[in-house]
Amino acid sequence: MQPRETTDTVIIGAGVIGLAIARALAPTRSVVLLEQEPRFGEHLSSRNSEVIHAGLYYPPDSLKARLCLRGNTLLYQYCQAQSIPHRQCGKLIVANAGQQDSLEQLHHNALNSGATGLHRCSQQWLQQQEPWLHAGEALLSEHSGILDSHALMGRLAEQAQEHHALLCYHHRVRRIDCEPGHFLLHVDSDDSPFALQCRQLINTAGLDAVPLLKRCNGFPTEKIPEQRLARGNYFSLRGHSPTRRLIYPLPEADGLGIHLTVDLAGQARFGPDVEWIEHRDYQVNTARLPHFEDAIRRYWPSLNADRLSPAYTGIRPKLFMEGEPYRDFLIQGEQEHGIKGMINLLGIESPGLTAALAIAEDIAKHS
């Protein structure tokens, strides 16, 4: 099959990161963004807590720490400039009996990473500010917030298209051939299959990023990590929220704990948990409700569980290397895999939404 089209850059996956990269690159080259779904952000980018993170949790030398902190600054600036609905509401990470040392370690890690706007809050302060909350102590992060992720993605898409990026929905990449000096993509569309040639290929396919590499002829198989799926269930709270802040327990091994977030309308929801699944399934597992009740009551003992109802789920791509969890973002360029012009963004889960503009900035600088 002869290539129907040739372009400078192809981006695969129109989540928030793919859109941010398209916006960053389109002014200087021809860009085609391929997305297999009918619209942008159908998976990771729209099935999360819509939180602007402040870089508290990640090891100081990690990509997550650096890109989250830079992304936090860029995201607030962008939301302000583009009138994207958002609110810098702040976050409380709460500790109870026996957890003070863990809270101290988290605070120390956040400071070492460069996080700012952090304050230790006494039980007396908490009783005045959040009388419903059961906590012996807390860490307040002033620079944590919330935003409308759909409005963000919509504006990024508009700006990419204003610079002539082509956003192609219902386009699935069936196979990639790595050839000398270029890539040949075999694409299925609603019209007919076709081939597309490009000099630069950026894989931001989210849950499909690792499976896509297995359909990439010429890509070294030893550079493909194992990917497992962790579903996060969310339950919404009917009626009035007890707070306008974000309330988080201390983080767990594979997630940040079942936390309370509020949306821009003031509606509260709880989640996500961590439920390992074999196949993609967005059905809320209502059998997890007792687990949610127990987790929430650790910081809200007077919760009326009748107010909880199933909301939605998200699925996070969790990477494993030689059977061990790989807890950072994995961004592979030529230096990592040996193929000129190819960038893979793998395991991009939280804080990917916060980090999106910083990731795009990095890629634009180095490509």
Side-chain angles (χ1 to χ4, degrees):
M1 183 189 301
Q2 290 299 312
R4 181 195 291 180
E5 297 286 350
T6 299
T7 190
D8 292 330
T9 297
V10 170
I11 301 167
I12 304 173
V16 66
I17 291 171
L19 292 166
I21 295 170
R23 167 184 169 268
L25 297 185
T28 61
R29 70 204 74 183
S30 57
V31 172
V32 174
L33 178 53
L34 301 176
E35 169 56 55
Q36 64 184 1
E37 301 294 352
R39 60 188 68 84
F40 56 66
E42 285 286 88
H43 297 282
L44 289 161
S45 298
S46 61
R47 294 174 169 272
N48 56 63
S49 301
E50 293 190 302
V51 168
I52 303 174
H53 287 287
L56 314 183
Y57 302 101
Y58 321 108
D61 58 349
S62 65
L63 284 176
K64 282 188 176 182
R66 180 176 67 81
L67 293 168
C68 182
L69 284 167
R70 177 62 178 155
N72 177 283
T73 299
L74 292 174
L75 197 49
Y76 277 123
Q77 291 173 350
Y78 187 75
C79 287
Q80 187 73 33
Q82 300 296 327
S83 301
I84 308 292
H86 69 289
R87 185 161 62 85
Q88 191 172 322
C89 56
K91 173 200 289 189
L92 287 170
I93 301 160
V94 299
N96 280 304
Q99 295 185 315
Q100 276 75 13
D101 286 350
S102 296
L103 189 69
E104 177 66 39
Q105 289 169 11
L106 178 64
H107 189 188
H108 186 69
N109 180 82
L111 292 173
N112 283 346
S113 296
T116 56
L118 302 174
H119 307 279
R120 293 292 277 273
C121 304
S122 67
Q123 190 172 38
Q124 182 180 8
W125 184 92
L126 290 167
Q127 286 172 347
Q128 291 174 343
Q129 292 286 319
E130 303 283 357
W132 63 278
L133 185 63
H134 175 66
E137 193 180 357
L139 180 64
L140 172 63
S141 166
E142 287 181 1
H143 297 156
S144 299
I146 54 175
L147 82 163
D148 182 337
S149 61
H150 291 80
L152 171 66
M153 289 188 282
R155 188 66 188 118
L156 291 171
E158 286 172 3
Q159 290 189 317
Q161 289 171 309
E162 285 166 8
H163 286 99
H164 310 294
L166 287 178
L167 273 57
C168 305
Y169 299 107
H170 290 289
H171 281 64
R172 179 181 181 271
V173 178
R174 183 169 16 97
R175 191 177 89 242
I176 300 167
D177 296 328
C178 300
E179 300 184 349
H182 67 268
F183 303 89
L184 189 62
L185 284 71
H186 302 266
V187 183
D188 291 332
S189 71
D190 282 353
D191 297 329
S192 61
F194 66 95
L196 177 63
Q197 183 176 300
C198 63
R199 175 188 57 80
Q200 182 185 43
L201 179 62
I202 303 176
N203 172 9
T204 63
L207 295 174
D208 291 307
V210 169
L212 185 65
L213 291 181
K214 297 176 181 178
R215 307 195 303 272
C216 185
N217 297 326
F219 188 84
T221 55
E222 69 274 11
K223 297 296 183 181
I224 304 176
E226 179 190 357
Q227 177 178 285
R228 302 179 194 173
L229 302 179
R231 178 167 58 191
N233 296 278
Y234 287 86
F235 287 81
S236 59
L237 182 74
R238 285 192 293 272
H240 183 68
S241 170
T243 183
R244 285 173 57 81
R245 292 186 175 97
L246 309 174
I247 308 294
Y248 279 59
L250 283 159
E252 302 167 350
D254 296 305
L256 300 182
I258 292 175
H259 43 264
L260 183 160
T261 59
V262 287
D263 62 21
L264 290 162
Q267 179 75 38
R269 63 194 166 211
F270 296 93
D273 59 350
V274 178
E275 181 187 8
W276 296 99
I277 57 175
E278 290 296 321
H279 305 288
R280 203 175 302 184
D281 179 359
Y282 286 117
Q283 189 74 27
V284 175
N285 183 356
T286 54
R288 304 285 287 183
L289 183 57
H291 172 62
F292 270 72
E293 292 175 24
D294 290 345
I296 296 164
R297 286 202 171 103
R298 288 174 201 152
Y299 55 85
W300 189 13
S302 61
L303 166 73
N304 176 0
D306 291 342
R307 294 177 62 191
L308 295 177
S309 58
Y312 60 95
T313 66
I315 299 174
R316 288 157 284 179
K318 298 285 191 180
L319 301 184
F320 286 76
M321 304 278 204
E322 298 178 352
E324 293 297 315
Y326 184 84
R327 302 194 188 279
D328 202 1
F329 295 153
L330 182 57
I331 300 180
Q332 297 177 330
E334 181 182 2
Q335 189 174 347
E336 287 72 37
H337 53 56
I339 301 174
K340 183 177 176 60
M342 185 178 198
I343 302 172
N344 296 311
L345 291 94
L346 311 177
I348 310 292
E349 48 157 344
S350 181
L353 178 62
T354 304
L357 295 178
I359 291 171
E361 180 183 66
D362 264 16
I363 287 176
K365 277 180 187 172
H366 299 110
S367 65

